[in-house]
Amino acid sequence: DQQVKQNSPSLSVQEGRISILNCDYTNSMFDYFLWYKKYPAEGPTFLISISSIKDKNEDGRFTVFLNKSAKHLSLHIVPSQPGDSAVYFCAAKRWEKLTFGTGTRLTIIP
Amino acid sequence: DGGITQSPKYLFRKEGQNVTLSCEQNLNHDAMYWYRQDPGQGLRLIYYSQIVNDFQKGDIAEGYSVSREKKESFPLTVTSAQKNPTAFYLCASSSGHSSYEQYFGPGTRLTVT
């Protein structure tokens, strides 16, 4: 049972445009959500997070939106840069454990 | 220079052999985690430890064992009972208090033939 889903395995965006990555979850007990970025053969690096009591968190070019009623979160990257090309994972926390989605491969086209 | 180290980067073993993956952190984090990643899949939790001398099974613990004798170290043993051991293994740590972010090591690619 996949509790955290990223339904788009890949996404291509023109450099300078907005990238929107989506994530859906099923467990309403998740209380914290995180986005990670991963390059091939490396460990994921933390990008941005949001508590379940908020609906938006912004950090530079990255903004995460949370819609609790829809059990949906999204990561907006604007403007998109070539260095943003990577696999992005969303993760949801319950107690001390994180549950990860399957990832979306973002490709920024110069 | 604080961080998490995993060694080796690449590891090759014959089927039927146990193998131990190393994970060390100097971040003074209480909690440590082991995940595996397979192609096209997310990270799946194998084992985690919130404190020294204590650890819990994750979602896919069968065929794996761990120990947590020191705060800095959380080695993972892939036993011969693990049916599909070939994967990319990632170790992570977190402070376990108000910060929920987990910080990951560079990973170990294990290939069993």
Side-chain angles (χ1 to χ4, degrees):
Chain A
D1 176 30
Q2 189 103 31
Q3 296 188 67
V4 179
K5 298 180 185 179
Q6 293 176 258
N7 292 317
S8 299
S10 63
L11 175 68
S12 294
V13 174
Q14 206 79 30
E15 182 179 357
R17 298 285 186 103
I18 184 170
S19 295
I20 300 176
L21 296 97
N22 295 303
C23 180
D24 297 294
Y25 62 95
T26 57
N27 191 340
S28 58
M29 301 302 290
F30 289 135
D31 57 5
Y32 205 77
F33 302 89
L34 305 91
W35 283 95
Y36 283 84
K37 175 181 180 179
K38 185 181 181 301
Y39 294 116
E42 293 184 10
T45 54
F46 168 74
L47 269 179
I48 192 169
S49 61
I50 188 168
S51 165
S52 62
I53 62 173
K54 297 190 174 182
D55 55 18
K56 178 182 175 182
N57 188 27
E58 192 171 353
D59 184 3
R61 296 188 298 115
F62 302 93
T63 303
V64 56
F65 294 93
L66 176 62
N67 182 333
K68 279 190 71 176
S69 61
K71 293 191 178 70
H72 177 84
L73 67 154
S74 61
L75 174 68
H76 292 210
I77 306 172
V78 55
S80 299
Q81 299 174 353
D84 295 330
S85 293
V87 177
Y88 289 78
F89 291 96
C90 65
K93 186 191 83 67
R94 186 180 180 203
W95 297 317
E96 65 282 356
K97 292 169 57 176
L98 293 183
T99 301
F100 285 81
T102 52
T104 296
R105 180 177 302 278
L106 175 64
T107 302
I108 305 302
I109 304 164
Chain B
D1 193 18
I4 302 175
T5 56
Q6 291 185 245
S7 59
K9 181 75 172 171
Y10 300 95
L11 194 52
F12 298 88
R13 280 294 182 270
K14 294 288 187 186
E15 202 172 307
Q17 293 179 335
N18 291 355
V19 58
T20 298
L21 282 61
S22 165
C23 178
E24 304 278 331
Q25 55 100 358
N26 60 5
L27 299 167
N28 199 33
H29 284 170
D30 288 317
M32 297 187 74
Y33 308 81
W34 273 106
Y35 296 88
R36 70 176 273 169
Q37 186 190 14
D38 296 283
Q41 296 200 35
L43 282 65
R44 292 184 291 166
L45 182 64
I46 304 172
Y47 267 98
Y48 62 104
S49 168
Q50 297 293 105
I51 197 168
V52 175
N53 292 322
D54 189 38
F55 48 82
Q56 288 78 40
K57 292 182 179 179
D59 301 318
I60 54 165
E62 186 176 346
Y64 299 98
S65 66
V66 293
S67 63
R68 186 86 187 276
E69 296 176 3
K70 297 186 302 182
K71 187 175 185 177
E72 305 79 24
S73 178
F74 191 40
L76 173 75
T77 298
V78 185
T79 75
S80 56
Q82 167 51 232
K83 290 183 171 43
N84 297 296
T86 294
F88 188 52
Y89 289 88
L90 287 157
C91 178
S93 71
S94 73
S95 64
H97 302 299
S98 59
S99 169
Y100 303 118
E101 294 87 28
Q102 292 182 14
Y103 296 88
F104 285 83
T108 293
R109 167 78 59 190
L110 173 65
T111 302
V112 177
T113 57

